[in-house]
Amino acid sequence: MAYKIAIGSSDGKIVDLKFGEVNKFLIYEVGDEVVLSEEREYIPGEAEDNSADSCSSSSCDTKSCGGNGGGCQGPGNVAGKVELISDCRAVVCKKIGFQAQKQFEKKAISVFDVECEVKEALDKITFYYKRIDNHESLRG
Amino acid sequence: MAKLLDKQRYKCALGAMQTVQAIDRALPILHSGPGCAQKLSENTGSSGYFSPNIFPCTSINEKDVVFGGVKKLDSTIENALKVIDADLYIVLTGCIPEIVGDDSGEVVSRYEDAEKPVLYAPTAGFKGNNFKGHEQVVDAIVEQYLKKSDEKIEGLVNIWADVPYQDLFWLGNIRELEKLISELGLIPNTIFGYKRGIENINKIPKAQFNLLVSPWVGLGNMKKMERKLGIPYLHYPTLPIGATETSKFLRAVGEFAGVDKDKVEAVISEHEDYYYYLIGRYADLFLENRVINKQFTVVADAQYSLGITKFLVNDLGLVPAKQFITDDTPKYYRDKIAEEFKKLNFGIEADVSFETDGYKIHEEIKTHDYHGYPLVLGGYYEKEVTESLKGNFLNVSWPHQDKVVFDDFYVGYTGGIRLIEDIYTVAVQRFN
């Protein structure tokens, strides 16, 4: 079964971006082969507005509210970014904050915060999924 | 084909964290998922220094499965050394890192030069249960920490018994064994419990011999120490409970250690006199209650199953029904242990079954004709089935829900009296 992996990388070679720094996710599609299917750009906007709604209805400052925390949806840009790649099975970045991890967890998207080559990450993750999808042991 | 195992009486090998916990000021560092320690820790008394809630743990997750968890292990060890004041750190691995192939041993070897010893024991659940895990921890100490000593202390004896915490009476038992051994004029050395710890571990190589009091747990450790440290061992398979077995035990140890025979006999007769004085005083109680339980069954790990069976037959004159050993004893020890059940007084032989499935054990108990009410000594699992048969039940083995024990014991002459007290406390309640 084909699935997608979102990677935060500035040059397509090394996973060098933190989740918060990513403007463009590299989306790899894994079927029989692993191919870079698209570069998905994150445009700040809609998501923040949604999460800010509850805030703006009261008199508080949206920015301070949408900073750290931001209620159950997490900070606005986190919710938006999570939504942007919610069709992926896994997300790979150099670092991924607690808020974002929890949001991904809710959507059953695996989070890998690692610093390595993109190829290495893809190899290891696809190997892992292949084994567990086929109910094979991870040993050896 | 997968099958269900009902009411098993042991935990996974990572349960060996309790063995580490039993060593004073020793700390397990867990390379495992975050729930393992939580599930394995019990409320049967903590170490008195560390609670299982603060055991450093790598809390590995999916990321570590895919990319390996060695970095996390390294930082966990590094920081544990900084933050937690212990004398000995033992890294224990759970299933996940062993399956995905983390080289934990290599990571631990980076700490060879650390101020405090850091050891590594592979305790993945698929390698065996916590009895096996216990052996792995002792092995780790022998292999990675101890060195052969040319200096020997005359009369120093390392005493090894069954698994701490798994055995509710572990602390009292080992203290009582120490006491008995010292009465023979020998110097006991144990590593578990209050004020033992690293200093006693350091003394291990200087011992004259190792004394193992267990049907099988630890036998591998004894062989390893014999090879590596040149310490001979005496394997006494039966946990000595009551006068008959304890006297045999003292004679065996005395002979092995070269203690003067008269001295051994003097110790024995002093204990036996008092023991039989107590028994004599309560002879009426025994005779009156003889009608209650003609036959008994023990459902326990090998040490209690064997030790209590010998005690009840040899000292109390009860007749054994089928006995059950629930610790998943490795197959190559089984015949020898079954042989021991045939060495009872009066030519009596007991039938023993190595069975880990509680359902099957209960079915056998239900269908056996005990010629009256059964006496069942077992884990808490046996309480209900015994009550349904109107029998008498005593909780002697894991799981322990029916008994709180601080440092009580069943071993030795006094231990035998304690066991009689416990059994007859249950028996007399029938008439209240």
Side-chain angles (χ1 to χ4, degrees):
Chain A
M1 196 188 74
Y3 57 88
K4 291 173 185 165
I5 298 174
I7 292 188
S9 167
S10 61
D11 57 2
K13 282 182 185 151
I14 296 171
V15 182
D16 58 352
L17 296 177
K18 295 178 185 168
F19 183 66
E21 296 169 346
V22 183
N23 293 319
K24 221 189 271 174
F25 284 102
L26 307 181
I27 309 289
Y28 286 85
E29 194 155 338
V30 185
D32 294 331
E33 282 174 57
V34 183
V35 287
L36 178 63
S37 65
E38 59 174 306
E39 294 186 6
R40 200 179 290 175
E41 198 165 350
Y42 171 65
I43 304 158
E46 287 170 42
E48 279 101 320
D49 292 346
N50 287 342
S51 72
D53 271 353
S54 58
C55 265
S56 53
S57 63
S58 68
S59 60
C60 78
D61 176 359
T62 49
K63 274 195 177 151
S64 69
C65 215
N68 241 347
C72 59
Q73 290 297 310
N77 61 339
V78 167
K81 267 191 192 171
V82 170
E83 198 53 50
L84 179 73
I85 52 171
S86 64
D87 59 331
C88 295
R89 189 175 184 180
V91 53
V92 187
C93 291
K94 187 170 139 189
K95 279 266 187 307
I96 301 183
F98 180 75
Q99 277 290 350
Q101 290 209 17
K102 285 285 156 200
Q103 297 301 319
F104 282 119
E105 219 168 77
K106 273 188 189 169
K107 295 179 185 296
I109 297 169
S110 300
V111 173
F112 298 102
D113 47 345
V114 288
E115 226 182 319
C116 65
E117 285 182 17
V118 171
K119 186 177 179 313
E120 185 194 345
L122 285 172
D123 286 350
K124 284 188 171 166
I125 293 169
T126 52
F127 171 82
Y128 165 69
Y129 282 141
K130 194 177 160 199
R131 286 281 177 99
I132 60 169
D133 288 346
N134 294 307
H135 304 285
E136 288 170 2
S137 169
L138 293 167
R139 295 172 89 165
Chain B
M1 171 79 192
K3 60 174 187 177
L4 280 173
L5 179 56
D6 190 24
K7 305 186 201 61
Q8 97 278 15
R9 327 286 170 121
Y10 43 77
K11 293 170 258 179
C12 71
L14 191 65
M17 69 184 213
Q18 294 190 313
T19 301
V20 180
Q21 191 179 323
I23 303 172
D24 205 19
R25 287 181 60 84
L27 181 78
I29 297 174
L30 308 170
H31 188 26
S32 71
C36 296
Q38 180 64 44
K39 295 266 180 235
L40 291 167
S41 62
E42 277 186 86
N43 54 357
T44 48
S46 84
S47 72
Y49 186 38
F50 301 121
S51 145
N53 295 318
I54 66 117
F55 289 169
C57 178
T58 51
S59 296
I60 50 175
N61 56 24
E62 196 176 22
K63 182 190 117 187
D64 306 299
V65 169
V66 178
F67 291 92
V70 288
K71 258 192 209 161
K72 238 181 196 173
L73 177 61
D74 192 50
S75 70
T76 306
I77 298 172
E78 190 187 335
N79 291 311
L81 283 165
K82 279 185 204 155
V83 173
I84 301 175
D85 176 24
D87 287 342
L88 173 68
Y89 300 78
I90 303 188
V91 175
L92 304 174
T93 46
C95 307
I96 307 168
E98 297 266 333
I99 290 175
V100 302
D102 278 3
D103 192 349
S104 310
E106 189 274 322
V107 178
V108 174
S109 69
R110 295 176 202 167
Y111 292 87
E112 257 173 20
D113 299 330
E115 258 176 60
K116 308 277 181 69
V118 183
L119 313 179
Y120 158 61
T123 50
F126 55 81
K127 287 196 172 160
N129 58 20
N130 56 327
F131 291 86
K132 174 91 181 154
H134 168 83
E135 291 190 327
Q136 295 279 36
V137 168
V138 178
D139 262 358
I141 294 171
V142 175
E143 272 175 16
Q144 298 160 39
Y145 181 66
L146 296 178
K147 290 187 179 65
K148 196 170 177 172
S149 165
D150 294 328
E151 184 203 340
K152 297 277 172 191
I153 300 172
E154 184 69 25
L156 187 70
V157 185
N158 301 322
I159 307 173
W160 306 91
D162 239 84
V163 182
Y165 294 96
Q166 174 75 18
D167 172 0
L168 186 64
F169 303 92
W170 68 274
L171 183 60
N173 276 355
I174 202 146
R175 288 296 95 87
E176 183 66 10
L177 286 171
E178 281 179 352
K179 209 173 129 217
L180 288 167
I181 293 303
S182 54
E183 282 177 37
L184 293 179
L186 301 167
I187 311 159
N189 183 41
T190 58
I191 66 169
F192 298 117
Y194 182 65
K195 283 198 174 168
R196 299 302 189 270
I198 194 87
E199 280 181 26
N200 287 29
I201 292 178
N202 292 335
K203 274 197 267 178
I204 290 174
K206 295 176 187 163
Q208 192 184 332
F209 66 97
N210 277 315
L211 170 61
L212 174 68
V213 186
S214 172
W216 67 272
V217 179
L219 195 53
N221 302 138
M222 298 306 116
K223 289 181 176 158
K224 179 152 279 170
M225 281 188 261
E226 188 178 45
R227 276 198 307 271
K228 190 187 163 187
L229 307 173
I231 309 175
Y233 66 91
L234 170 63
H235 177 208
Y236 197 84
T238 311
L239 185 74
I241 303 173
T244 311
E245 198 61 33
T246 310
S247 299
K248 272 191 211 168
F249 166 73
L250 290 175
R251 286 190 188 106
V253 176
E255 198 187 320
F256 192 86
V259 179
D260 179 41
K261 266 196 181 152
D262 293 340
K263 186 170 185 179
V264 177
E265 291 306 319
V267 171
I268 288 173
S269 69
E270 194 190 326
H271 279 292
E272 283 193 348
D273 286 351
Y274 183 62
Y275 182 86
Y276 289 116
Y277 155 77
L278 290 174
I279 301 268
R281 281 177 58 203
Y282 282 91
D284 288 358
L285 176 76
F286 296 139
L287 292 171
E288 279 172 13
N289 286 284
R290 177 49 51 89
V291 288
I292 293 179
N293 307 119
K294 291 194 185 67
Q295 292 196 6
F296 70 90
T297 285
V298 184
V299 186
D301 45 25
Q303 68 156 350
Y304 280 117
S305 202
L306 179 60
I308 293 176
T309 299
K310 284 201 173 178
F311 171 69
L312 293 180
V313 173
N314 295 345
D315 284 42
L316 287 191
L318 297 181
V319 178
K322 195 168 196 176
Q323 312 303 316
F324 297 94
I325 292 179
T326 56
D327 60 12
D328 200 18
T329 309
K331 289 206 169 55
Y332 44 91
Y333 294 126
R334 291 186 182 181
D335 288 347
K336 269 209 161 153
I337 294 172
E339 272 305 303
E340 285 293 323
F341 279 87
K342 296 195 165 77
K343 295 180 194 162
L344 303 169
N345 287 0
F346 324 111
I348 293 173
E349 293 187 355
D351 192 12
V352 60
S353 167
F354 293 87
E355 182 57 75
T356 52
D357 191 326
Y359 172 79
K360 288 183 187 160
I361 294 170
H362 289 186
E363 285 306 299
E364 289 207 48
I365 290 175
K366 278 189 230 164
T367 51
H368 181 80
D369 179 7
Y370 284 84
H371 299 280
Y373 303 127
L375 169 64
V376 178
L377 299 97
Y380 191 70
Y381 296 143
E382 275 69 55
K383 190 181 169 105
E384 205 177 325
V385 70
T386 312
E387 278 172 356
S388 74
L389 300 169
K390 297 190 178 132
N392 291 339
F393 166 75
L394 183 66
N395 195 178
V396 296
S397 62
W398 200 89
H400 315 104
Q401 301 285 335
D402 229 14
K403 213 164 165 42
V404 175
V405 170
F406 286 13
D407 65 350
D408 199 5
F409 53 91
Y410 281 163
V411 85
Y413 299 96
T414 315
I417 297 293
R418 296 283 169 273
L419 182 52
I420 295 175
E421 285 174 349
D422 284 352
I423 291 171
Y424 280 90
T425 300
V426 173
V428 296
Q429 280 170 11
R430 180 177 288 271
F431 303 116
N432 294 338

